[in-house]
Amino acid sequence: QVQLVESGGGVVQAGGSLRLSCAASGNIFTINDMGWYRQAPGRQRELVANISRHGSANYVDSVKGRFTISRDNAKNTVYLQMSSLKPEDTAVYYCKGQILAPGSAWWDYWGQGTQVTVSS
């Protein structure tokens, strides 16, 4: 069984920083792309950033220059360093991993989400 567990959310003032972590565990053969998504109240879930196994990253325009995604393949962990946070970054942040388990097919696994609240 595969699990993704996020940590690092919280409450921060505008202009502050937070670092999110997401660790995948369980019966994992390999992980392809990993990404961070967010969902604000009343809005659809959106992609914030994703990163390939080899480190190629993409960002939504609204976070470019402020957020940095990275990963540690040895630890099956993806990070999101968030700086210059704005109130509009307030959302529940979810991580997703494209994971291949032994004897299975590629599957998208999601974490449970972590709340990020930015106060003005």
Side-chain angles (χ1 to χ4, degrees):
Q1 189 171 358
V2 175
Q3 281 189 318
L4 274 68
V5 178
E6 299 106 334
S7 61
V11 180
V12 64
Q13 288 190 332
S17 298
L18 282 175
R19 189 191 195 210
L20 306 182
S21 300
C22 172
S25 63
N27 199 15
I28 296 171
F29 181 70
T30 189
I31 303 177
N32 195 10
D33 290 357
M34 302 187 80
W36 287 97
Y37 292 71
R38 65 186 179 187
Q39 187 167 19
R43 304 191 67 175
Q44 288 189 332
R45 190 174 298 188
E46 66 169 350
L47 173 66
V48 176
N50 61 10
I51 185 168
S52 72
R53 179 169 182 80
H54 303 292
S56 178
N58 294 288
Y59 300 89
V60 67
D61 285 348
S62 60
V63 308
K64 285 181 180 177
R66 300 188 298 122
F67 291 10
T68 301
I69 190 171
S70 61
R71 64 189 285 174
D72 184 333
N73 291 333
K75 296 181 179 179
N76 289 336
T77 299
V78 63
Y79 306 97
L80 187 67
Q81 178 66 48
M82 305 185 293
S83 303
S84 302
L85 282 160
K86 304 175 181 180
E88 51 264 43
D89 294 318
T90 295
V92 178
Y93 284 71
Y94 299 89
C95 71
K96 187 183 81 169
Q98 294 178 342
I99 297 175
L100 181 64
S104 183
W106 287 100
W107 194 259
D108 287 342
Y109 290 87
W110 291 86
Q112 81 288 353
T114 186
Q115 177 70 46
V116 172
T117 302
V118 184
S119 62
S120 57

